[in-house]
Amino acid sequence: MAAKNSSVTEFILTGLTDQLELQIPLFFLFLGFYMVTVLGNLALIALIRLNSCLHTPMYFFLFNLSLIDFCYSTTITPKMLKSFVSKKNIILHAECMTQLFFFCFFVISESFLLSVMAYDRYVAICKPLVYMVTMSPQVCLFLLLGVYMMGLSGAMVHTGSIASLTFCADNLLNHFMCDILPLLKLSCNSTYVNELVVFILVAIDIGMPIITIFISYALILSSILHIHSTEGRSKAFSTCSSHIIVVSLFFGSGAFMYLKPPSILPLDQGKVSSLFYTIVVPMLNPLIYSLRNKDVKVSLRKTLERKISS
């Protein structure tokens, strides 16, 4: 159903490109990306679940990170793949709002989850003697509940703001998904208040986690500099390196996309930025954490050995 104040009942997604010769190659490229994303994240989820040595706060949060990456990639990618093989990629107004809601929920949740993971690393490195007490199962569950509550509240506000817009005759959505800024462009009434809501919410959803991450890593760096042994410093840096890479990729592309007014950022440029954090980042996260993490590699080897021997 369309909104009561809107004559549009469906949108037509233009997709990533209108060049016909690129459609099939891009379909197989992003199908490959999606398969790697699904297999990589589900494998990491299964690995953490099956290995008791990975049942620690750090891997509890990594488990949820992989779950979120899998879910929000699945929210976006199948519909995008359809645009490469169909003449018209139509999405109903209600389906569009549903996709927008779940996209916002998972992205905002990941943003706050990354800040919780930074806090976890701070406690592990700066207060190792009280780590298991500070990051008890109850505390971890409380932090995770807060992560998902922030995701839920942000998604409800963003979706409610967009659903209140009036859409008239033009229903050609210049994107491969129902994203906030392209939908604002289609509205036939003033979007000043909606743009202000987007800017404030994104500043909170990106700003608060980034501040938490910066403070955590400033304290971690200060603690590492007080470690006298080279081996100790190296181990501390390696513990944080995977998380720093993931944070840089996720927040860099997200801030570039949403912390600029829609009039400044061309939609085609926005598509590339959206593509990066909706398709590429969820694919890279399990690879980064598995290839750069000794515990994960050891657990994977042991799991494979058990399967082969059985």
Side-chain angles (χ1 to χ4, degrees):
M1 289 180 62
K4 291 181 180 179
N5 59 341
S6 175
S7 62
V8 171
T9 59
E10 62 186 26
F11 297 102
I12 300 172
L13 298 171
T14 61
L16 196 59
T17 178
D18 56 0
Q19 298 182 41
L20 294 177
E21 66 275 11
L22 294 178
Q23 301 292 337
I24 298 303
L26 286 175
F27 171 81
F28 284 108
L29 175 66
F30 289 109
L31 178 61
F33 282 178
Y34 182 58
M35 290 175 66
V36 172
T37 301
V38 170
L39 292 174
N41 283 292
L42 290 182
L44 196 53
I45 288 170
L47 191 66
I48 294 170
R49 180 71 182 84
L50 294 172
N51 288 271
S52 58
C53 63
L54 298 181
H55 293 176
T56 64
M58 174 182 172
Y59 293 104
F60 171 73
F61 295 127
L62 183 55
F63 178 97
N64 281 274
L65 179 66
S66 291
L67 183 63
I68 289 172
D69 281 339
F70 167 74
C71 289
Y72 91 74
S73 180
T74 300
T75 301
I76 302 301
T77 311
K79 194 66 179 175
M80 186 189 74
L81 290 173
K82 185 181 175 183
S83 68
F84 294 125
V85 294
S86 60
K87 291 183 179 179
K88 271 189 179 181
N89 191 13
I90 295 173
I91 185 169
L92 297 176
H93 184 280
E95 291 176 347
C96 186
M97 294 301 108
T98 302
Q99 186 189 58
L100 176 65
F101 173 83
F102 282 107
F103 166 68
C104 291
F105 171 70
F106 290 124
V107 170
I108 294 170
S109 296
E110 176 153 342
S111 175
F112 282 94
L113 182 58
L114 289 172
S115 68
V116 169
M117 292 173 76
Y119 173 72
D120 171 72
R121 291 299 83 208
Y122 155 71
V123 178
I125 293 172
C126 299
K127 299 181 178 181
L129 298 179
V130 294
Y131 175 66
M132 295 310 296
V133 176
T134 306
M135 301 301 293
S136 65
Q138 293 80 8
V139 171
C140 290
L141 285 172
F142 178 77
L143 290 171
L144 189 65
L145 179 63
V147 163
Y148 287 127
M149 286 302 297
M150 290 301 295
L152 180 62
S153 58
M156 290 176 66
V157 174
H158 278 303
T159 307
S161 174
I162 296 299
S164 69
L165 294 173
T166 301
F167 299 103
C168 301
D170 188 8
N171 69 338
L172 190 64
L173 192 62
N174 185 20
H175 215 290
F176 58 83
M177 66 177 188
C178 288
D179 201 359
I180 297 168
L181 301 185
L183 285 166
L184 287 174
K185 288 278 187 181
L186 278 188
S187 176
C188 52
N189 58 346
S190 173
T191 60
Y192 174 77
V193 174
N194 304 81
E195 289 180 22
L196 190 61
V197 168
V198 170
F199 187 83
I200 292 171
L201 280 178
V202 173
I204 293 170
D205 296 335
I206 291 180
M208 284 178 60
I210 284 180
I211 290 170
T212 304
I213 290 166
F214 269 123
I215 292 173
S216 297
Y217 276 109
L219 294 171
I220 288 171
L221 182 61
S222 175
S223 180
I224 289 174
L225 293 176
H226 286 88
I227 298 175
H228 299 293
S229 69
T230 305
E231 184 182 352
R233 288 185 181 183
S234 177
K235 185 177 179 180
F237 276 121
S238 65
T239 303
C240 303
S241 60
S242 297
H243 184 256
I244 292 172
I245 294 170
V246 170
V247 164
S248 301
L249 292 173
F250 181 81
F251 284 107
S253 55
F256 180 78
M257 177 71 183
Y258 291 106
L259 290 182
K260 288 184 178 181
S263 56
I264 294 178
L265 183 68
L267 279 179
D268 287 339
Q269 193 175 348
K271 282 185 192 180
V272 176
S273 180
S274 296
L275 188 71
F276 194 77
Y277 71 84
T278 57
I279 309 296
V280 178
V281 171
M283 179 187 69
L284 291 178
N285 282 356
L287 298 176
I288 292 169
Y289 274 105
S290 59
L291 295 175
R292 296 184 61 86
N293 190 299
K294 183 180 177 181
D295 292 336
V296 171
K297 287 190 285 187
V298 169
S299 296
L300 178 60
R301 188 175 67 249
K302 288 181 178 179
T303 302
L304 292 175
E305 287 173 352
R306 284 200 301 266
K307 292 294 182 183
I308 292 169
S309 62
S310 61

